[in-house]
Amino acid sequence: MTDRKSQGEGSGDVVAFLGPETSYTHQATLKAFPDHPLTPLPTISSVFEAIQSGTAARGVVPLENSTNGSVVTTLDLLADVKGKLQDIEICGEAFVKVEHALLGRWKGEQRGVKRGEEGSVKGEEAAPSADLSHIQTLYSHPQAWTQCTLFLDSLSSSLPHPIIKNDVSSTSYAAQLVAQDTTGTSAAVSSQMAAEKYGLDVLSSGIQDRQDNFTRFLILRNKKGGALEKNNCATALNASASTSATQAPRPKEHETSNTTIGKKSHKALLSLSPPATTSVNPSPSHLSKAPSLSPVLPLLASQNGKYGTEISNIQTRPAGTKPWDYVFLVELEVQSLTEANISEEGPKYLVEEGVVKGLEKNWEGAIRVLGVWRDGWRERE
């Protein structure tokens, strides 16, 4: 399998993603951008930096898993306490059903039975009772372990020897390490896509604890625009479409009362940062006065009737100002405005001109809109 990387082209339409190839982020990127050159990058922060610098037009990073929860690194970069990523905005999202498999080599005479030409996986996957007694070492990403606890516990108890688990940077790299192991005694918790790339046997499939195991990915862009500015945020994933701020006229303040509020079709993410402090060694009394969401939450709740928004998620990250100060990342469900002259810009208007302006009267720190985008989960159903 070859990736669609840029060959002698500019960076105007390149999509950067958290690599390596065959990772679940790669799968999300292929789904969202089937016709653009893709560039795998080694870290989540390098994807953010590529968008900020303009070396990539779009970026795809993991945000949360339905089993494991949030990806802290992504949250920290969205909080951006050092102010180095101010031009990045979220313009879409993608979802991938995470189906883990145990990849390795069949034992002895079984080797090659399940494999077709060029190392691709063919036929039925291994049954749970397959002989895996030759497996001594496992490789995978730490989150994959916790998503496959039932299978791994069963595997460990069935083997006549202890099994060694090694954490690696990604499930894709785990498969690569197993492919390089000439002894055939190692296995990886990875994906069937990785099995195809590295010519491995699928020793067991669907080994995750929950069959409704999904990972949610954010699609990023530079708000200053670029080669893809006039296109959907994800060309083949309408659930991740986003429109430019110049595409539709904003309604005037007095027009909102006559505008029809439609179904919840969009999401938005706000960043609420505490006021900056100039004290290097604040007094104990100063430390006790950390900003609270108490005056903000009732206001956000009151927006529901007038502006059609609801809080769906709140995350906190250390603000870097003083102990126990936090940046609050507040995700909203946003209803659409159905008036024709507002079009897709309606949800963005509701957030920027309605919610944010209301918050500014009750929050002393900085408020940033990190993005308004179409609800990918609702539109995939």
Side-chain angles (χ1 to χ4, degrees):
M1 181 182 63
T2 58
D3 202 358
R4 296 187 293 275
K5 295 182 181 178
S6 177
Q7 300 290 335
E9 302 176 6
S11 60
D13 61 348
V14 170
V15 179
F17 67 93
L18 174 64
E21 294 179 15
T22 76
S23 66
Y24 291 106
T25 309
H26 183 209
Q27 294 178 39
T29 309
L30 287 170
K31 181 180 179 181
F33 297 97
D35 300 316
H36 286 81
L38 310 181
T39 298
L41 295 178
T43 63
I44 296 175
S45 61
S46 62
V47 176
F48 273 76
E49 291 165 2
I51 300 301
Q52 176 66 31
S53 66
T55 57
R58 297 289 185 270
V60 182
V61 294
L63 177 65
E64 60 179 335
N65 176 264
S66 59
T67 301
N68 286 126
S70 300
V71 179
V72 174
T73 300
T74 301
L75 295 179
D76 284 337
L77 291 164
L78 290 170
D80 189 26
V81 297
K82 295 183 179 180
K84 295 182 177 181
L85 303 168
Q86 297 291 296
D87 295 330
I88 290 178
E89 69 175 353
I90 303 164
C91 64
E93 63 184 8
F95 294 85
V96 169
K97 187 175 183 180
V98 177
E99 297 180 300
H100 293 300
L102 186 70
L103 311 183
R105 306 288 187 190
W106 285 117
K107 180 181 179 180
E109 65 277 6
Q110 297 182 52
R111 183 169 296 184
V113 171
K114 303 292 182 181
R115 294 175 58 202
E117 296 180 356
E118 299 179 355
S120 60
V121 179
K122 302 290 183 182
E124 297 297 324
E125 292 83 5
S129 59
D131 183 4
L132 302 177
S133 61
H134 62 296
I135 301 299
Q136 300 178 7
T137 305
L138 294 179
Y139 296 95
S140 197
H141 187 275
Q143 284 206 354
W145 302 133
T146 59
Q147 294 172 21
C148 305
T149 55
L150 298 177
F151 173 84
L152 294 173
D153 288 346
S154 177
L155 176 63
S156 296
S157 63
S158 68
L159 296 178
H161 52 264
I163 195 164
I164 301 172
K165 293 196 300 183
N166 294 304
D167 294 346
V168 294
S169 58
S170 70
T171 56
S172 301
Y173 184 53
Q176 182 180 348
L177 290 175
V178 172
Q180 295 170 351
D181 178 16
T182 58
T183 69
T185 60
S186 62
V189 176
S190 189
S191 67
Q192 295 206 28
M193 186 179 184
E196 295 172 8
K197 178 176 177 62
Y198 295 109
L200 295 172
D201 299 313
V202 178
L203 305 181
S204 189
S205 63
I207 64 174
Q208 65 277 2
D209 293 345
R210 296 182 60 95
Q211 297 308 306
D212 58 349
N213 186 29
F214 287 86
T215 296
R216 177 186 177 198
F217 300 86
L218 294 180
I219 301 175
L220 310 174
R221 70 178 177 189
N222 191 305
K223 64 179 66 174
K224 293 181 178 178
L228 294 181
E229 183 179 7
K230 295 182 180 179
N231 296 339
N232 285 345
C233 189
T235 56
L237 190 63
N238 290 333
S240 297
S242 180
T243 55
S244 171
T246 61
Q247 284 185 296
R250 294 185 173 187
K252 296 180 175 61
E253 185 70 27
H254 68 275
E255 293 177 339
T256 57
S257 60
N258 298 320
T259 299
T260 302
I261 299 292
K263 67 178 182 178
K264 292 182 177 62
S265 61
H266 288 69
K267 296 177 182 177
L269 187 64
L270 306 181
S271 170
L272 282 72
S273 302
T277 177
T278 57
S279 176
V280 177
N281 296 301
S283 64
S285 61
H286 186 51
L287 290 176
S288 65
K289 297 178 181 178
S292 169
L293 277 183
S294 297
V296 173
L297 291 178
L299 184 65
L300 285 169
S302 70
Q303 306 298 320
N304 184 38
K306 184 177 181 181
Y307 296 108
T309 63
E310 290 183 359
I311 300 173
S312 61
N313 194 340
I314 298 177
Q315 299 283 345
T316 61
R317 299 306 304 151
T321 50
K322 61 179 185 292
W324 322 128
D325 267 6
Y326 297 100
V327 174
F328 297 97
L329 298 172
V330 182
E331 185 171 11
L332 303 175
E333 292 183 349
V334 187
Q335 293 180 348
S336 61
L337 295 178
T338 59
E339 204 166 68
N341 70 326
I342 298 174
S343 186
E344 289 289 339
E345 192 61 14
K348 189 173 183 180
Y349 169 82
L350 290 179
V351 173
E352 293 181 347
E353 302 298 320
V355 177
V356 172
K357 286 192 174 181
L359 291 177
E360 288 174 346
K361 302 174 183 178
N362 294 269
W363 184 259
E364 296 180 358
I367 302 174
R368 294 174 57 215
V369 179
L370 300 181
V372 181
W373 65 96
R374 296 188 66 85
D375 187 334
W377 184 257
R378 289 178 185 270
E379 295 199 6
R380 64 175 291 279
E381 295 176 343

